[in-house]
Amino acid sequence: MERLAQLDETSTYLTAVMPALIILGIGFGLIFATAINTATSGVRPEDAGIASALVNTCQQVGGAAGTALLSTIAATASKDWLTERLPAGVKAPSGTGTPEQVSQLPPLVKALLEPAAIHGYTAAFWLSAGIFLVGAITAALMLERGVPDTSGEHGGPAAGPH
């Protein structure tokens, strides 16, 4: 996320965004199986289905809520940044606007739209990096170390009888 938080007006997709997205994709691909396994470990076999469904639901709701939160943060940060830089009496545009609406904006406002958007994205990327850091610290503190004991009453994989 740090690389995405360092974008500027001259950044290109190929050199700045795509490498970060590839690294994020590989990282997420490596953690999902382990995360789901950890979330459902120690669950009684008869509860395995509901535990798995709960993990899936949390992923879906978390992704939707996270996207909404980060989009709101980005939009608010962009508007605040733009509003602070406009002279008195010049109003910041609301919403994204159509190309025709954008072309009718005063030149000063048009010149500030791109840096304002970059500022909003940067704020959202830093916030998401902070969320990841808090999650990593929480996981490190809460997860038990070592190999799980599967010899107990509820040991073994979360699967039904064969």
Side-chain angles (χ1 to χ4, degrees):
M1 288 295 175
E2 181 178 330
R3 177 65 186 128
L4 291 174
Q6 296 173 355
L7 297 176
D8 61 27
E9 294 87 8
T10 62
S11 298
T12 65
Y13 180 82
L14 188 62
T15 61
V17 177
M18 189 173 73
L21 292 180
I22 289 171
I23 291 169
L24 283 169
I26 291 169
F28 282 134
L30 292 172
I31 67 165
F32 275 130
T34 304
I36 291 171
N37 187 38
T38 301
T40 57
S41 67
V43 174
R44 295 182 310 199
E46 59 269 20
D47 294 333
I50 192 70
S52 179
L54 183 61
V55 171
N56 191 25
T57 300
C58 289
Q59 283 182 321
Q60 296 298 317
V61 171
T67 300
L69 172 69
L70 293 175
S71 295
T72 301
I73 296 293
T76 302
S78 294
K79 185 168 182 171
D80 290 348
W81 186 93
L82 183 59
T83 302
E84 289 172 6
R85 282 153 182 80
L86 291 175
V90 178
K91 185 179 176 194
S94 61
T96 56
T98 65
E100 182 179 305
Q101 291 170 326
V102 171
S103 69
Q104 294 175 4
L105 292 171
L108 173 65
V109 175
K110 283 196 284 190
L112 292 174
L113 287 179
E114 194 171 280
I118 295 292
H119 175 76
Y121 298 148
T122 300
F125 289 141
W126 277 119
L127 177 65
S128 62
I131 291 169
F132 276 109
L133 180 62
V134 168
I137 291 170
T138 302
L141 294 174
M142 294 186 70
L143 294 177
E144 295 179 15
R145 310 275 187 277
V147 178
D149 178 16
T150 60
S151 62
E153 179 184 343
H154 301 296
H162 297 267

